[in-house]
């Protein structure tokens, strides 16, 4: 039966991502999810990478090669939705993430990690979305070979990263994967750490690369991916200056997001599907128990 959950440790969980020249974060994505779920259960949809980023993974993970075309967000979304449907023929749980997104159940509640959470998760769930911050005046650039969360102490709640990504039953995601066509439960002790801006120099370099890509006219007209085409000053302001100014003003950096989650849930209660309001919330200090997760 489609989406039927296997019992006990036989739960079959798939995780997949899409990439284009993601040499920086893809190895971290692979390492984390391979440890959590097993490399044989991971798939990479590669949209024409030519930077060698997949060379070391080609014998360790399933790779589906897609021809390089101009970037079209609707086509990407359609491909992800279609592949998710294929995976449901063989798996009980299907997870999709970008390769800079790490779904981490709180070790204090789920010492068995992502697999333990999936055993009790609802038909569709969204983690608590957190943007990992780079406090540039106090934190050095990321060092290869060291866990990223050991090097970054602060994060900020953002509803855009509370994505409905953990599915046990068929669901259709919309462009950006922030919304879905069915009700979704927010998992309050499971977090999505978004590390796009965890290193300022890399983030700006990657932003310039993405901005220079060929974008389909339909994607631009719809406004999808607008944040990946803005100028350098606006990018630095949104991802670095604004959250760091908020950090300087805050007096409570405790790792609790109850107020933000109440606002999030109230924004979707009367709607069909899952379509939360977009807003940035509290800045918090990352607890020590997360520091070796990835």
């Amino acid at each position: 039966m489609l989406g039927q959950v296997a019992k006990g440790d036989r739960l079959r969980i798939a995780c997949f991502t899409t990439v284009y020249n993601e040499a920086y974060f893809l190895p971290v994505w692979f390492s984390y999810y391979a440890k959590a779920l097993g490399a044989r259960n991971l798939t990479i949809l590669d949209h024409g990478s030519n930077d060698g980023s997949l060379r070391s993974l080609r014998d360790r993970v399933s790779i589906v090669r897609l021809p390089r075309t101009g970037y079209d967000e609707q086509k990407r979304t359609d491909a992800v939705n279609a592949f998710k449907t294929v995976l449901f023929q063989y798996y009980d749980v299907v997870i999709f993430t970008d390769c800079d997104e790490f779904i981490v159940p709180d070790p204090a509640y789920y010492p068995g990690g992502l697999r333990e959470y999936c055993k009790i998760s609802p038909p569709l769930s969204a983690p608590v979305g957190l943007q990992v911050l780079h406090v540039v005046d106090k934190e050095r650039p990321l060092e290869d070979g060291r866990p990223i969360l050991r090097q970054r102490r602060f994060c900020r709640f953002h509803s855009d990263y509370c994505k409905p990504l953990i599915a046990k039953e068929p669901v259709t995601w919309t462009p950006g994967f922030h919304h879905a066509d069915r009700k979704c439960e927010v998992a309050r002790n499971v977090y999505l750490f978004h590390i796009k801006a965890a290193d300022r120099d890399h983030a700006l370099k990657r932003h310039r690369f993405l901005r220079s890509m060929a974008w389909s006219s339909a994607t631009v007209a719809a406004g999808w991916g607008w944040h990946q085409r803005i100028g350098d000053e606006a990018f630095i302001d949104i991802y670095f200056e604004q959250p760091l100014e908020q950090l300087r003003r805050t007096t409570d950096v405790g790792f609790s997001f109850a107020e933000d989650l109440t606002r999030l849930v109230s924004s979707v209660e009367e709607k069909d599907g899952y379509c939360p309001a977009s807003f940035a919330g509290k800045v918090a200090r990352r607890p020590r128990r997360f520091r070796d997760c990835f």
Side-chain angles (χ1 to χ4, degrees), residues 259-272:
E259 185 175 326
D260 291 322
L261 290 171
T262 297
R263 179 180 175 186
L264 174 76
V265 171
S266 67
S267 75
V268 299
E269 282 180 343
E270 303 303 323
K271 298 177 182 177
D272 293 330

Side-chain angles (χ1 to χ4, degrees), residues 93-106:
V93 185
V94 176
I95 301 169
F96 172 76
T97 75
D98 290 334
C99 77
D100 58 5
E101 295 174 343
F102 296 81
I103 299 175
V104 183
D106 190 329

Side-chain angles (χ1 to χ4, degrees), residues 30-79:
F30 172 79
S31 178
Y32 174 73
Y33 287 103
K35 182 178 180 181
L37 304 174
R40 67 186 180 279
N41 299 311
L42 307 183
T43 303
I44 298 169
L45 303 185
D46 173 45
H47 192 197
S49 293
N50 57 13
D51 65 343
S53 55
L54 296 168
R55 191 173 299 122
S56 65
L57 299 179
R58 60 189 177 190
D59 296 325
R60 305 167 69 189
V61 65
S62 296
I63 301 173
V64 177
R65 308 276 184 176
L66 304 174
R68 186 66 197 166
T69 58
Y71 185 81
D72 188 292
E73 185 62 45
Q74 186 64 62
K75 288 183 178 179
R76 175 180 180 243
T77 305
D78 290 346

Side-chain angles (χ1 to χ4, degrees), residues 2-294:
L2 185 65
Q4 183 176 3
V5 177
K7 295 181 179 180
D9 291 334
R10 291 170 19 207
L11 190 71
R12 296 162 298 188
I13 308 171
C15 183
F16 70 112
T17 190
T18 62
V19 301
Y20 173 52
N21 287 355
E22 289 279 6
Y24 195 76
F25 287 136
L26 183 57
V28 186
W29 182 92
F30 172 79
S31 178
Y32 174 73
Y33 287 103
K35 182 178 180 181
L37 304 174
R40 67 186 180 279
N41 299 311
L42 307 183
T43 303
I44 298 169
L45 303 185
D46 173 45
H47 192 197
S49 293
N50 57 13
D51 65 343
S53 55
L54 296 168
R55 191 173 299 122
S56 65
L57 299 179
R58 60 189 177 190
D59 296 325
R60 305 167 69 189
V61 65
S62 296
I63 301 173
V64 177
R65 308 276 184 176
L66 304 174
R68 186 66 197 166
T69 58
Y71 185 81
D72 188 292
E73 185 62 45
Q74 186 64 62
K75 288 183 178 179
R76 175 180 180 243
T77 305
D78 290 346
V80 168
N81 277 317
F83 192 70
K84 170 259 302 166
T85 300
V86 171
L87 288 173
F88 264 131
Q89 305 301 318
Y90 303 95
Y91 287 91
D92 307 301
V93 185
V94 176
I95 301 169
F96 172 76
T97 75
D98 290 334
C99 77
D100 58 5
E101 295 174 343
F102 296 81
I103 299 175
V104 183
D106 190 329
Y109 293 86
Y110 301 101
L114 194 51
R115 179 168 290 278
E116 180 179 353
Y117 169 70
C118 286
K119 289 179 182 179
I120 56 88
S121 63
L124 182 65
S125 59
V128 177
L130 302 177
Q131 175 190 357
V132 176
L133 305 181
H134 182 187
V135 184
V136 293
D137 58 344
K138 297 181 180 178
E139 297 174 333
R140 297 170 58 85
L142 290 176
E143 297 179 22
D144 293 340
R146 293 185 60 208
I148 288 175
L149 293 187
R150 270 186 175 259
Q151 303 177 66
R152 296 294 179 258
R153 297 168 297 162
F154 295 96
C155 52
R156 179 175 68 160
F157 177 93
H158 205 298
S159 67
D160 286 353
Y161 307 132
C162 299
K163 296 182 176 182
L165 300 177
I166 306 172
K168 285 182 173 174
E169 295 181 358
V171 60
T172 299
W173 291 306
T174 62
F177 308 95
H178 306 288
H179 306 154
D181 67 344
R182 63 174 299 154
K183 294 292 185 180
C184 175
E185 181 176 316
V186 179
R188 292 176 180 257
N189 295 306
V190 180
Y191 301 90
L192 184 151
F193 290 96
H194 182 242
I195 62 172
K196 173 190 180 84
D199 184 280
R200 175 171 166 154
D201 290 346
H202 170 264
L204 186 56
K205 179 179 178 181
R206 180 68 181 174
H207 178 68
R208 290 168 176 167
F209 172 76
L210 295 176
R211 189 173 59 205
S212 70
M213 291 191 313
W215 292 76
S216 75
S217 57
T219 294
V220 174
W224 295 323
W226 63 268
H227 58 289
Q228 299 187 71
R229 298 189 298 273
I230 57 178
D232 288 359
E233 286 190 17
F235 177 80
I236 291 172
D237 181 57
I238 291 172
Y239 287 96
F240 296 95
E241 293 182 359
Q242 289 183 23
L244 295 185
E245 178 58 29
Q246 182 180 347
L247 175 61
R248 285 189 284 267
R249 295 196 313 266
T250 192
T251 57
D252 172 18
V253 293
F255 198 72
S256 173
F257 306 96
E259 185 175 326
D260 291 322
L261 290 171
T262 297
R263 179 180 175 186
L264 174 76
V265 171
S266 67
S267 75
V268 299
E269 282 180 343
E270 303 303 323
K271 298 177 182 177
D272 293 330
Y274 178 77
C275 185
S278 175
F279 64 93
K282 179 182 177 181
V283 173
R285 184 188 297 271
R286 179 265 308 148
R288 287 176 58 86
R289 62 184 179 273
F290 288 94
R291 65 179 186 166
D292 290 322
C293 290
F294 63 88

